[in-house]
Amino acid sequence: MTIKRIKYHRVYEDVIEQIKNLILEGNLSPGDVLPTERELAQSFGISRGTLREAFRILEREGLIEVKPGGGRYLSKALDEAEDRSRIIDNIERATIIELLEARELFETGIVELAAKRATEDDIKEIEAAFEKWGQIDLDGEDRTEPDQAFHLSIAKATHNVVLVNMTELHMDLLQRTLSKTAKIPGRKDEVYEEHLLILQAIKERDPVRAKQALLNHLGKVRENIQKNHFYV
């Protein structure tokens, strides 16, 4: 009998994905009015609260306009061709920024605890994962696995099974954020240095510096996503 790990599921992201597909397929165009909340909630099979969470992201990015008493519209300022691609880019950027906020909340506590509890064996495991990142040379080589291994090894150093499981459930966050920045020239070396600061702080049992190093790393990720308007 094979049992597969249950992945953490954010329903509002499915809503955003479906709206994105409607745009790509030409079923939604700039200026179009969206169905009512009730109709969409029933069609998606979700609660209105979840639907509003998705709309909150889309409205914040200027992709949807709200008119009091007049419903929601796909922004009229967007052109059919050129800006249809920009709609998708903005949706991607918005969701990645949400994911980074989540990482800032739960990963800072993890690195702080790891700095307090890590054993010598734990530190060796973190160092091994760190070295794997440094050994990546080929442009086409997948960087996701060593990045995930590094962050997971830190979670294991907390000796808290809930935090380890939490990190495993959020591996998709790591993969999605990395996929948006991995091809930036020089970014691989920057990540190496950012990870090194985290590792050094944990080795020196300095939770405050470990937290700051982690926030610095995530801040650089956010900066690159906002600065480099490319999406793959």
Side-chain angles (χ1 to χ4, degrees):
M1 179 174 66
T2 302
I3 298 176
K4 294 182 179 180
R5 180 177 293 278
I6 298 172
K7 294 184 178 180
Y8 180 72
H9 194 62
R10 288 173 293 275
V11 179
Y12 77 87
E13 287 191 31
D14 289 343
V15 177
I16 293 174
E17 185 68 21
Q18 290 203 50
I19 291 175
K20 180 174 75 172
N21 289 334
L22 289 173
I23 295 169
L24 285 171
E25 293 165 3
N27 295 316
L28 274 179
S29 299
D32 284 354
V33 63
L34 298 178
T36 65
E37 273 190 10
R38 181 178 180 181
E39 291 170 331
L40 283 173
Q42 289 178 342
S43 297
F44 289 138
I46 59 173
S47 70
R48 284 179 148 184
T50 299
L51 181 63
R52 286 169 187 157
E53 179 68 12
F55 279 143
R56 182 179 66 81
I57 296 173
L58 296 171
E59 289 166 14
R60 187 183 68 187
E61 292 303 307
L63 306 175
I64 287 179
E65 298 176 351
V66 182
K67 296 183 178 180
R72 293 182 174 90
Y73 295 78
L74 198 60
S75 177
K76 290 182 180 179
L78 303 173
D79 294 330
E80 277 286 331
E82 178 184 349
D83 285 334
R84 179 167 290 169
S85 175
R86 186 163 68 84
I87 292 173
I88 307 306
D89 289 350
N90 285 348
I91 289 174
E92 286 290 315
R93 180 168 61 87
T95 53
I96 291 296
I97 293 301
E98 295 274 320
L99 299 181
L100 284 172
E101 288 178 356
R103 289 185 63 186
E104 287 172 359
L105 287 173
F106 72 81
E107 285 191 55
T108 48
I110 287 174
V111 294
E112 285 182 302
L113 201 54
K116 297 175 182 178
R117 295 183 177 177
T119 64
E120 289 304 315
D121 286 340
D122 292 329
I123 290 174
K124 287 179 182 177
E125 184 175 349
I126 298 171
E127 286 179 324
F130 171 72
E131 288 169 4
K132 285 181 181 178
W133 176 271
Q135 292 165 359
I136 298 174
D137 292 322
L138 301 176
D139 290 338
E141 193 169 348
D142 183 14
R143 301 176 184 179
T144 302
E145 186 175 339
D147 185 69
Q148 291 178 337
F150 177 74
H151 290 281
L152 183 58
S153 64
I154 292 173
K156 289 178 179 178
T158 66
H159 296 273
N160 183 310
V161 68
V162 175
L163 293 177
V164 174
N165 288 337
M166 217 172 122
T167 301
E168 289 178 333
L169 288 171
H170 287 81
M171 278 299 167
D172 63 317
L173 308 190
L174 299 178
Q175 184 176 10
R176 291 183 65 179
T177 52
L178 182 63
S179 70
K180 300 303 176 187
T181 59
K183 294 184 179 181
I184 297 175
R187 183 59 190 150
K188 173 185 172 291
D189 293 335
E190 290 177 354
V191 172
Y192 182 87
E193 294 299 325
E194 291 159 21
H195 280 184
L196 177 60
L197 292 176
I198 297 171
L199 171 60
Q200 289 175 336
I202 293 174
K203 288 178 68 173
E204 294 172 18
R205 318 291 182 183
D206 190 333
V208 174
R209 194 149 58 87
K211 177 180 178 179
Q212 288 304 315
L214 187 279
L215 287 174
N216 173 68
H217 171 52
L218 296 181
K220 293 293 185 181
V221 175
R222 180 192 293 265
E223 179 182 318
N224 275 283
I225 285 180
Q226 292 176 326
K227 180 175 64 177
N228 296 276
H229 298 290
F230 76 100
Y231 295 88
V232 294

